[in-house]
């Protein structure tokens, strides 16, 4: 049996762990909160400790004879967990520190795309003071601007003109706020269109795509409110989106392939692990919104449960740099709805009890994944981040949405979710939006 260590404590790690166990792995978990799903899947073979304390992780992995580790979240990746573990001869699924900067620094990412002439790039400029900001805003036009803090923000620091910033003054004030926190930031060209997520498996050379997913970043229904880590996501039974063509996917995958080569040329390091591309289809073609050095959360829940290929074999393909191209997924639609603590993302209510009617939820057919919650004395409580992912899988989007909504109703607590994720009405709105953009 293969001994696998999963690092991380969220719903993404829960679903990764499920795929590993279903593919025959003997699971161990290292996490900063006691995720109930990971506790159960590892049968209690776990350690609750900081996910960036590499010394502890290495000593835990060595004691358990771990064959390889899968790193779920970005935080340990961007500070070099893979370099540390591999030095101790523990193979990893995840990129080394230099390659992980594709997510760790948006300025690094944009400069790389610029230097290697990658077509999906947009105009942008990095700053660490106000010097030159006004000139850049005047040159670009303030209404065409998105402000992004440079480092990791859990998807919450991005502010878009017209949504979160309504004037030149708002932009300057937000830049000042970031400077006061010691943050460098990016002023980036604002794109208009429909977003999609393309998650891939990379073995240092090959980049293999998985079904497309659309996430919902805004906190409230109708795509209102602040940006979040993602409030829910869906995928279609044909693995496409009604507003994204096969040619669009080829363009995006082609660019991801170029990025993997560019990382190797620029840093000398091969990109190995998961590479997540978030793109937007605009009237000027496919544009890159962000790269992540890991699977998406919630998007991992839309793809891994559909895998037909053995996931442990895929991991070995990544480690041994010989991924096979024929990775298969079931032709089902999926809808994942996130339950988040009331007040998330601005002032989330933490340490609140969550009650799950397990028998009832199982009878709906919905799957559920524990996110940033912790188990104490057999009960599950909220932290300050998203709490539970509820997944419906079926042969149509409508049925998958119905299953996930029914599942959500079996979970109670001071939580909220977006009822509109995966609904026919929202999908139609996206299709109409795309049509109007392309016809302009
Ligand atoms: P990010 O954390 O970079 O994915 O940004 C969060 C959200 O902000 C994205 O999902 C988009 O909805 C929006 N966003 C980010 N960059 C841009 C951009 N260049 N143009 C328009 N919207 C953007
Ligand atoms: N759902 C967006 C992310 O994982 O970054």
């Amino acid at each position: 049996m293969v001994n696998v260590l999963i690092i991380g404590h969220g719903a993404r790690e829960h679903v990764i762990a499920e795929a590993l166990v279903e593919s025959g792995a003997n699971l161990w978990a290292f996490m900063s909160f006691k995720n109930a799903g990971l506790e159960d899947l590892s049968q209690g073979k776990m350690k609750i400790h900081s996910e960036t304390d590499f010394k502890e992780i290495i000593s835990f992995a060595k004691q358990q004879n771990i064959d390889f580790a899968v790193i779920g979240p970005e935080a340990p990746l961007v500070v070099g967990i893979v370099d540390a573990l591999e030095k101790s001869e523990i193979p990893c699924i995840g990129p080394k520190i230099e390659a992980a900067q594709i997510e760790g620094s948006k300025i690094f990412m944009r400069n790389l795309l610029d230097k290697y002439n990658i077509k999906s790039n947009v105009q942008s400029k990095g700053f660490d003071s106000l010097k030159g900001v006004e000139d850049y805003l005047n040159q670009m036009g303030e209404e065409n601007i998105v402000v992004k803090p440079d480092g990791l923000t859990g998807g919450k620091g991005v502010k878009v003109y017209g949504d979160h910033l309504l004037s030149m003054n708002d932009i300057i004030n937000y830049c000042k706020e970031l400077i006061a926190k010691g943050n460098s930031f990016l002023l980036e060209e604002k794109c208009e269109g429909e977003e999609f997520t393309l998650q891939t498996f990379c073995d240092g050379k090959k980049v293999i795509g998985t079904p497309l997913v659309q996430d919902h970043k805004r906190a409230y229904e109708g795509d209102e409110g602040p940006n979040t880590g993602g409030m829910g996501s869906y995928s279609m039974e044909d693995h496409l989106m009604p507003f994204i063509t096969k040619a669009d996917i080829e363009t995006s995958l082609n660019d991801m392939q170029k990025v993997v080569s560019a990382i190797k040329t620029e840093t000398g390091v091969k990109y190995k692990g998961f590479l997540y591309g978030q793109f937007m289809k605009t009237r000027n073609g496919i544009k890159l919104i962000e790269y992540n050095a890991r699977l998406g959360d919630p998007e991992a829940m839309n793809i891994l449960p559909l895998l037909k290929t053995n996931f442990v074999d895929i991991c070995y393909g990544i480690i041994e740099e010989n991924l096979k191209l024929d990775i298969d997924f079931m032709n089902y639609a999926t809808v994942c709805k996130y339950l988040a603590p009331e007040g998330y993302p601005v002032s989330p209510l933490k340490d609140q009890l969550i009650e799950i009617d397990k028998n009832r939820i199982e009878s709906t057919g919905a799957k559920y994944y524990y996110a940033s919650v912790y188990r104490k004395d057999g009960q599950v409580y909220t932290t300050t981040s998203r709490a539970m992912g509820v997944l419906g899988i079926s042969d149509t989007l409508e049925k998958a949405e119905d299953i996930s909504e029914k599942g959500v109703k079996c979970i109670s607590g001071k939580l909220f979710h977006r009822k509109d994720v995966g609904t026919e009405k929202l999908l139609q709105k996206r299709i109409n939006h795309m049509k109007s953009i392309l016809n302009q």
Side-chain angles (χ1 to χ4, degrees), residues 364-435:
T364 66
K367 293 170 79 94
Y368 57 97
Y369 297 95
Y370 294 92
S372 287
V373 291
Y374 62 96
R375 188 184 260 167
K376 195 174 147 201
D377 302 329
Q379 305 276 29
V380 175
Y381 297 89
T382 58
T383 64
T384 55
S385 199
R386 296 167 296 176
M388 302 280 309
V390 182
L391 179 73
I393 303 178
S394 193
D395 45 2
T396 65
L397 187 72
E398 196 183 347
K399 285 194 229 162
E401 194 277 331
D402 186 53
I403 293 170
S404 91
E405 195 58 42
K406 284 191 174 122
V408 163
K409 294 206 170 74
C410 306
I411 300 175
S412 49
K414 291 196 165 140
L415 302 164
F416 76 102
H417 76 288
R418 279 185 57 168
K419 290 196 183 68
D420 60 351
V421 171
T423 56
E424 199 55 43
K425 195 172 154 203
L426 195 59
L427 185 67
Q428 197 53 51
K429 188 176 145 190
R430 306 266 192 249
I431 296 170
N432 295 345
H433 180 222
M434 196 72 253
K435 271 193 193 140

Side-chain angles (χ1 to χ4, degrees), residues 25 56 93 130 135 149 168 240 325 399:
E56 276 301 318
I93 304 299
L130 276 185
D135 285 349
M168 182 89 144
L240 300 171
L325 294 175
K399 285 194 229 162

Side-chain angles (χ1 to χ4, degrees), residues 221-272:
E221 275 156 35
D223 295 324
E224 302 278 338
N227 275 321
T228 68
M231 290 300 293
S233 48
Y234 67 91
S235 68
M236 308 295 286
E237 62 276 16
D238 60 0
H239 302 162
L240 300 171
M241 294 273 136
F243 40 84
I244 305 294
T245 63
K246 276 197 177 143
D248 294 330
I249 300 179
E250 267 162 42
T251 305
S252 314
L253 261 180
N254 217 359
D255 270 13
M256 292 180 85
Q257 186 78 60
K258 285 188 188 146
V259 165
V260 166
S261 308
I263 290 172
K264 173 74 177 60
T265 312
E266 191 65 16
T267 68
V269 162
K270 287 181 189 161
Y271 192 99
K272 289 172 68 173

Side-chain angles (χ1 to χ4, degrees), residues 91-102:
C92 290
I93 304 299
K96 289 189 172 171
I97 188 164
E98 293 94 336
Q101 298 318 309
I102 197 77

Side-chain angles (χ1 to χ4, degrees), residues 12 74 103 154-155 197 199 215-217 228-231 276 278 290 292 294-299 386:
R12 170 186 44 220
E74 60 276 24
E103 172 165 9
T197 300
Q199 300 170 94
D215 187 16
H216 298 69
K217 289 272 198 181
T228 68
M231 290 300 293
Y276 165 120
Q278 193 195 349
E290 71 169 351
N292 292 327
R294 49 170 174 85
L295 289 176
D297 190 354
E299 293 100 317
R386 296 167 296 176

